[in-house]
């Protein structure tokens, strides 16, 4: 039997995915159904935009408002009057520059530590596969079911007096950096990604004389940019908004990040200035997401390597 022409096969292949949705191609051609579903899409999209943008708009409005305007018209989105000088005043009055610098240092260190631990641990479990790897993998899975508050006291006692070393690291960035690396979720995420890389590449590299470090550095990492982007986003966002742990281990106000300093200053600060500080603290993560959103979305939707 003669197979159908190539153009017919392409049309069939192109039409097949469109018929796999809730509505078939025939349903979409019906005016009532197509118009109704498009209207639903528009309403849902507008609702998502509204719920996501209104809090940011209100925060901007509150940051440039007077205290009396916030009290008398708390739900209004337009300030009367608009005081744009609140933002530079808050920067100088609350010493935002110092706390923002502390935040950047803590975030960058936490990001580096978590990225190094996640990629190396994921490489060991997915590529090297030692005999005890299954037990380590099971231990990682168990920690996902343990609430972080349960281990808070034990973790604090550990950083207060490091085992076998005899000194503590409280009131230093290391007290925030090192615990950030113990993130079982990102380790398992990276491990799952590395397992999708064809093992033939590793075997060919070993035949050519490459060691595990060379395979990790020159083969695995260049092919893992999507998952590295996802882990980086998770690490940066988690470290940027972390409040409880820095509050416990960083008792010196000069070393505290914005997430800890602003609530401490809230009792003796004009509400408009405080919200201006919150607005400043929200800008960097928003910019990071807007810049790297394509890599982040590609990494989240990536399910494996093909080829």
């Amino acid at each position: 039997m003669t197979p159908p022409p190539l153009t017919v096969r392409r049309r069939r292949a192109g039409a097949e995915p469109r018929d796999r949705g809730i509505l078939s191609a025939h349903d979409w051609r019906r005016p009532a159904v197509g118009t109704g579903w498009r209207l639903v899409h528009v309403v849902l999209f507008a609702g998502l935009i509204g719920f996501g943008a209104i809090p940011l708009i209100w925060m901007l409005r509150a940051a440039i408002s007077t205290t009396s305007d916030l009290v008398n018209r708390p739900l209004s989105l337009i300030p009367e009057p608009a005081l744009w000088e609140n933002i530079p005043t808050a920067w100088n009055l609350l010493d935002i520059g110092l706390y923002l610098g502390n935040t950047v240092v803590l975030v960058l260190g936490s990001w580096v530590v978590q990225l190094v631990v996640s990629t190396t641990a994921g490489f060991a479990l997915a590529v090297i596969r030692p005999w005890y790897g299954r037990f380590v993998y099971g231990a990682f899975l168990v920690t996902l079911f343990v609430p972080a508050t349960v281990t808070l006291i034990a973790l604090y006692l550990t950083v207060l007096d490091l085992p076998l070393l005899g000194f503590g690291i409280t009131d230093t960035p290391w007290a925030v950096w090192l615990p950030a690396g113990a993130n079982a979720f990102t380790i398992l995420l990276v491990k799952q990604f590395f397992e999708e890389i064809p093992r033939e590449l590793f075997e060919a590299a070993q035949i050519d004389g490459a060691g595990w470090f060379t395979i990790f550095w020159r083969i695995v990492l260049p092919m893992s940019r999507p998952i590295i982007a996802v882990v980086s986003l998770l690490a940066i966002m988690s470290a940027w908004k972390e409040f409880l742990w820095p509050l416990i281990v960083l008792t010196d106000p000069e070393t505290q990040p914005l997430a800890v300093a602003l609530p401490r200053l809230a009792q003796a600060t004009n509400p408009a200035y405080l919200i201006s500080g919150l607005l400043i603290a929200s800008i960097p993560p928003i910019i990071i997401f807007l810049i790297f959103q394509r890599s982040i979305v590609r990494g989240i939707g990536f399910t494996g390597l093909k080829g």
Side-chain angles (χ1 to χ4, degrees):
M1 181 177 179
T2 304
L6 181 59
T7 55
V8 175
R9 294 201 303 268
R10 286 179 177 175
R11 290 175 183 175
R12 291 177 181 176
E16 185 178 356
R18 289 196 297 268
D19 292 336
R20 291 180 180 178
I22 298 177
L23 299 179
S24 65
H26 175 72
D27 293 330
W28 278 108
R29 287 193 293 267
R30 297 170 58 186
V33 176
T35 303
W37 275 96
R38 289 185 179 90
L39 181 61
V40 170
H41 291 169
V42 171
V43 172
L44 291 176
F45 181 74
L48 291 175
I49 293 295
F51 280 111
I54 287 178
L56 297 177
I57 295 174
W58 186 91
M59 184 166 57
L60 175 61
R61 177 262 183 195
I64 59 175
S65 300
T66 61
T67 303
S68 60
D69 188 35
L70 283 176
V71 174
N72 296 329
R73 302 185 313 120
L75 300 181
S76 175
L77 296 179
I78 301 177
E80 293 182 1
L83 302 178
W84 291 96
E85 59 269 19
N86 282 358
I87 297 178
T89 301
W91 178 277
N92 298 322
L93 183 64
L94 302 181
D95 207 1
I96 299 295
L98 171 64
Y99 300 122
L100 185 61
N102 294 339
T103 304
V104 171
V105 170
L106 295 177
V107 168
L108 290 180
S110 300
W111 167 62
V112 171
V113 171
Q114 189 169 148
L115 197 61
V116 170
V117 173
S118 299
T119 53
T120 53
F123 179 78
L125 294 175
V127 180
I128 299 179
R129 296 181 179 179
W131 64 268
Y132 53 84
R134 66 183 67 181
F135 303 105
V136 177
Y137 179 71
F140 284 151
L141 289 178
V142 170
T143 60
L144 293 177
F145 297 94
V146 179
T149 52
V150 174
T151 61
L152 201 60
I153 296 177
L155 184 59
Y156 177 73
L157 294 177
T158 301
V159 300
L160 191 63
D161 186 11
L162 293 178
L164 304 178
L165 298 179
F167 63 88
I169 55 175
T170 55
D171 285 324
T172 66
W174 291 102
V176 177
W177 293 345
L178 294 182
N183 192 312
F185 177 74
T186 56
I187 292 175
L188 299 180
L189 198 66
V190 174
K191 172 186 176 296
Q192 186 66 30
F193 185 93
F194 286 174
E195 286 180 342
E196 299 295 333
I197 300 178
R199 295 196 62 84
E200 290 80 5
L201 296 176
F202 311 142
E203 296 171 358
Q206 287 179 316
I207 293 175
D208 292 337
W212 287 124
F213 179 78
T214 303
I215 294 174
F216 172 74
W217 186 257
R218 303 188 63 178
I219 296 178
V220 174
L221 287 186
M223 300 179 66
S224 305
R225 292 178 182 176
I227 197 64
I228 290 176
V230 174
V231 172
S232 299
L233 175 69
L234 295 176
I236 291 174
M237 294 298 103
S238 176
W240 192 275
K241 65 181 181 180
E242 183 67 32
F243 169 74
L244 184 58
W245 182 243
L247 175 66
I248 294 174
V249 297
L250 300 178
T251 57
D252 184 4
E254 297 296 321
T255 62
Q256 292 176 344
L258 272 173
V260 177
L262 290 179
R264 176 172 55 82
L265 299 173
Q267 302 299 326
T269 304
N270 187 315
Y273 297 155
L274 179 64
I275 298 177
S276 296
L278 296 175
L279 177 65
I280 296 172
S282 303
I283 292 176
I286 294 176
I287 294 176
I288 291 174
F289 178 79
L290 292 178
I291 293 175
F292 298 103
Q293 60 175 331
R294 182 173 299 178
S295 299
I296 293 167
V297 172
R298 186 186 302 120
I300 292 176
F302 197 85
T303 57
L305 293 174
K306 297 180 180 180

